[in-house]
Amino acid sequence: MKASDLMVAALEAEGVEYVFAVPGEENLDLLESLRTSAITLVLARHEQGAGFMAATYGRLTGKAGVCLATLGPGATNLTTPAAYAALGAFPLVIITGQKPIKTSKQAQFQIVDVVSLFTPLCKASTQIVNGNRIPSLVREGFRLAQEERPGAVLLELPEDIAEEETIEPVIPPHYRRYAVAGDAALDEAAERIIAAERPLLLIGAGANRRRASKALRKFVSDTGFPFFDTQMGKGVVDEDSELYLGTAALSSGDYVHCAIEKADLIVNIGHDVVEKPPFFMEPGGQTVIHINYKAAEVDQVYFPQLEVIGDIAGSVERLGNRLDGKLQCDRSYYTALHHEIASHISETSDDERFPMVPQRVVADVRSVMARDDIVALDNGIYKIWFARNYIANEPGTILLDNALATMGAGLPSAMMAAMLSPGRRVLAVCGDGGFMMNSQELETAVRLGLNLVVLVLNDAAYGMIRWKQDQLGFPDYGLTFSNPDFVTYAQSYGATGHRVERSADLVAVLNDAFEAGGVHLVDLPVDYSENKKVLIDELGAKVCEL
């Protein structure tokens, strides 16, 4: 068969459902092979949109998402999605085209060393130089992308290789199981936990993979272990629990850090140093037990004293058996702090001011979303408010990027969630700055017939950086802009536009949009004066008195 047909057959063997693409001339053989395959081609309006959708497919399913672009500028536009997948640990396979490598007809026109460019961003970056290598390289690429810790892999398919004949068979994938931690490590972990006076559990992004939620929920329920989570660990264990102490949206100085300071032992499940540190280790400080698929990457602020390495669900289950009925720690401080944090978060949640304050925005969004509905956030100051104030009940229901933290990913991420979960409400929450970076994908969402609501928080500024600028005492400069009429803009793509004009209307507008179906954009003016008041002044004056 033709090498491009073999490439598609290898993708089909891996269970690939979609290829998200902005194809070019160098991809035409592969595009023709896709046309007659069982794989659905999703044409995006920018390579970033395609890459973010594919990475989110990997994040939500555990199977590598696939995106496709041409050489040169098409490939370079995928560097940000590659970094998004690499830092966020989302399995992603990137396929790019290239000019013929056996004979050069256009000298260096559009030629960039794509393989070298992606090497620092990917677990593997390889040019396919012979069609017979396709089965092994595709199989190895998917294995690496999906294996813990997941990430991105690049395969470059030159156009002359794509059209050559090959006779190699596809290599079928096989299921692999991860080993669980050894008895010695589990025994020592149990001993240290039982001996601790105030142990505390931290749940990170790694626990949001490989379906570890069921084991962790049972572990928390059986042991009564007080817990907090990182932004990317939200929802693994139900945050409505009396044992929940908040999300570490800030690296220090928040209410949850009162619990961290009081703890003498922290059991850290599924966290790595890529995500913003939820606490800082210091010599002579708390003992930290690291439970994860892989050993801890030692950092100046993270150097655990004990590591329990293996499949998280299996390790947690066996650790729970060792702790059964033996965890007799003092929870009184944590219980009091739980109620203190809940009270703090509820403040201003019914504030009538307009433009709306972020606390009211989060509370109103939470009221219209069911337990298993999905909120996908772009990146901006509102992400901190959602991380702190939004109660997540199920894994994968609040999609935060606290690793690369790139703007422009919120809308494509929400689109992917809507494709995978057509029966659930999916809401993209974007700042006006981040939304405009990939707003053209509204056309893709409409063309795909998605049911999706996009909430654009409008402050006509890059609000996160403006807040930091003010925090550092610099004058307000260089961070404000003008926006299009978002209602008309949405309508120009065939979506429905709404503008909220008073705080009391947001819930009704969101509910009506979800009930109507299709793609809706909601323009919501926001007031970020609460950033300084709460996140700087109030937290700066906070004393851990409980």
Side-chain angles (χ1 to χ4, degrees), residues 343-354:
S343 175
H344 169 72
I345 285 176
S346 68
E347 293 174 1
T348 328
S349 62
D350 57 356
D351 195 300
E352 293 290 341
R353 274 178 287 174
F354 192 83

Side-chain angles (χ1 to χ4, degrees), residues 311-366:
D311 176 73
I312 286 179
S315 298
V316 165
E317 181 181 353
R318 286 161 176 77
L319 180 60
N321 292 337
R322 286 166 167 80
L323 296 177
D324 189 20
K326 299 176 182 177
L327 193 62
Q328 304 297 326
C329 59
D330 181 7
R331 298 182 184 85
S332 58
Y333 179 83
Y334 295 143
T335 300
L337 186 60
H338 166 84
H339 293 293
E340 179 74 10
I341 291 171
S343 175
H344 169 72
I345 285 176
S346 68
E347 293 174 1
T348 328
S349 62
D350 57 356
D351 195 300
E352 293 290 341
R353 274 178 287 174
F354 192 83
M356 289 182 71
V357 297
Q359 299 97 311
R360 173 71 184 268
V361 175
V362 177
D364 284 1
V365 167
R366 177 66 277 186

Side-chain angles (χ1 to χ4, degrees), residues 6-7 19 50 61 78 130 161 204 221 235 261 265 305 312 329 332 359 361 386 419 432 458 478 502-503 517 524 537:
L6 178 59
M7 184 83 167
V19 170
T61 67
L78 285 176
N130 188 299
I161 304 301
S221 175
E261 292 165 12
L265 172 72
Q305 292 90 343
I312 286 179
C329 59
S332 58
Q359 299 97 311
V361 175
F386 270 87
M419 287 179 67
D432 44 9
N458 189 345
R502 59 188 189 125
S503 296
L524 177 65
D537 297 340

Side-chain angles (χ1 to χ4, degrees), residues 439-482:
S439 63
Q440 71 282 344
E441 299 303 340
L442 275 179
E443 187 278 328
T444 309
V446 171
R447 174 167 31 93
L448 293 174
L450 300 182
N451 293 316
L452 174 67
V453 178
V454 183
L455 180 63
V456 178
L457 305 180
N458 189 345
D459 68 331
Y462 292 117
M464 169 71 89
I465 311 307
R466 198 180 188 194
W467 171 58
K468 293 284 187 180
Q469 188 179 58
D470 181 58
Q471 189 177 354
L472 293 172
F474 294 132
D476 186 3
Y477 172 73
L479 295 169
T480 59
F481 45 72
S482 298

Side-chain angles (χ1 to χ4, degrees), residues 38-60:
I39 298 171
T40 299
L41 179 78
V42 178
L43 185 68
R45 300 306 299 268
H46 191 283
E47 290 86 356
Q48 274 198 12
F52 289 140
M53 290 184 75
T56 304
Y57 177 92
R59 178 181 192 174
L60 291 174

Side-chain angles (χ1 to χ4, degrees), residues 9-16 63 138-139 142-143 146 171-173:
L11 296 178
E12 288 177 322
E14 296 291 340
V16 173
K63 301 186 299 181
V138 170
R139 177 78 282 273
F142 275 79
R143 182 189 71 81
Q146 293 168 173
I171 300 174

Side-chain angles (χ1 to χ4, degrees), residues 94-368:
I94 300 167
I95 301 172
T96 56
Q98 188 54 273
K99 294 293 182 185
I101 57 174
K102 296 179 181 179
T103 57
S104 174
K105 299 178 181 178
Q106 294 180 306
Q108 296 300 307
F109 175 66
Q110 286 195 312
I111 299 294
V112 174
D113 186 349
V114 173
V115 171
S116 296
L117 176 68
F118 278 80
T119 295
L121 301 173
C122 292
K123 298 176 78 173
S125 182
T126 307
Q127 183 184 72
I128 301 172
V129 298
N130 188 299
N132 290 333
R133 295 289 315 280
I134 286 173
S136 60
L137 290 176
V138 170
R139 177 78 282 273
E140 178 66 1
F142 275 79
R143 182 189 71 81
L144 285 171
Q146 293 168 173
E147 184 178 72
E148 288 291 337
R149 184 178 181 270
V153 167
L154 177 122
L155 297 173
E156 182 183 73
L157 181 63
E159 60 178 318
D160 56 344
I161 304 301
E163 66 184 14
E164 69 182 20
E165 294 296 314
T166 178
I167 58 172
E168 286 297 306
V170 167
I171 300 174
H174 61 276
Y175 181 75
R176 73 165 287 184
R177 290 185 178 273
Y178 287 84
V180 296
D183 288 337
L186 289 165
D187 289 343
E188 184 177 351
E191 289 172 8
R192 292 197 182 205
I193 293 169
I194 292 168
E197 293 183 11
R198 283 183 299 276
L200 186 59
L201 183 67
L202 167 62
I203 299 170
N208 235 336
R209 301 193 294 272
R210 307 286 175 188
R211 306 297 183 262
S213 176
K214 182 178 179 181
L216 268 164
R217 288 177 179 228
K218 186 176 188 304
F219 178 79
V220 169
S221 175
D222 290 351
T223 61
F225 223 126
F227 73 95
F228 70 108
D229 49 33
T230 68
Q231 293 185 41
M232 295 174 71
K234 286 181 72 66
V236 175
V237 177
D238 191 347
E239 293 176 352
D240 268 329
S241 168
E242 288 285 319
L243 297 166
Y244 171 63
L245 297 172
T247 298
L250 304 171
S251 294
S252 61
D254 207 344
Y255 284 85
V256 68
H257 294 96
C258 296
I260 294 168
E261 292 165 12
K262 204 79 167 179
D264 57 349
L265 172 72
I266 297 176
V267 180
N268 196 352
I269 299 180
H271 178 63
D272 61 46
V273 296
V274 170
E275 194 173 3
K276 181 182 288 189
F279 68 95
F280 298 96
M281 290 187 68
E282 296 178 353
Q286 304 105 320
T287 297
V288 174
I289 299 175
H290 173 90
I291 301 179
N292 213 328
Y293 298 100
K294 298 184 70 174
E297 182 181 338
V298 177
D299 189 88
Q300 194 169 7
V301 298
Y302 188 63
F303 41 90
Q305 292 90 343
L306 175 63
E307 299 192 48
V308 179
I309 305 303
D311 176 73
I312 286 179
S315 298
V316 165
E317 181 181 353
R318 286 161 176 77
L319 180 60
N321 292 337
R322 286 166 167 80
L323 296 177
D324 189 20
K326 299 176 182 177
L327 193 62
Q328 304 297 326
C329 59
D330 181 7
R331 298 182 184 85
S332 58
Y333 179 83
Y334 295 143
T335 300
L337 186 60
H338 166 84
H339 293 293
E340 179 74 10
I341 291 171
S343 175
H344 169 72
I345 285 176
S346 68
E347 293 174 1
T348 328
S349 62
D350 57 356
D351 195 300
E352 293 290 341
R353 274 178 287 174
F354 192 83
M356 289 182 71
V357 297
Q359 299 97 311
R360 173 71 184 268
V361 175
V362 177
D364 284 1
V365 167
R366 177 66 277 186
S367 73
V368 303

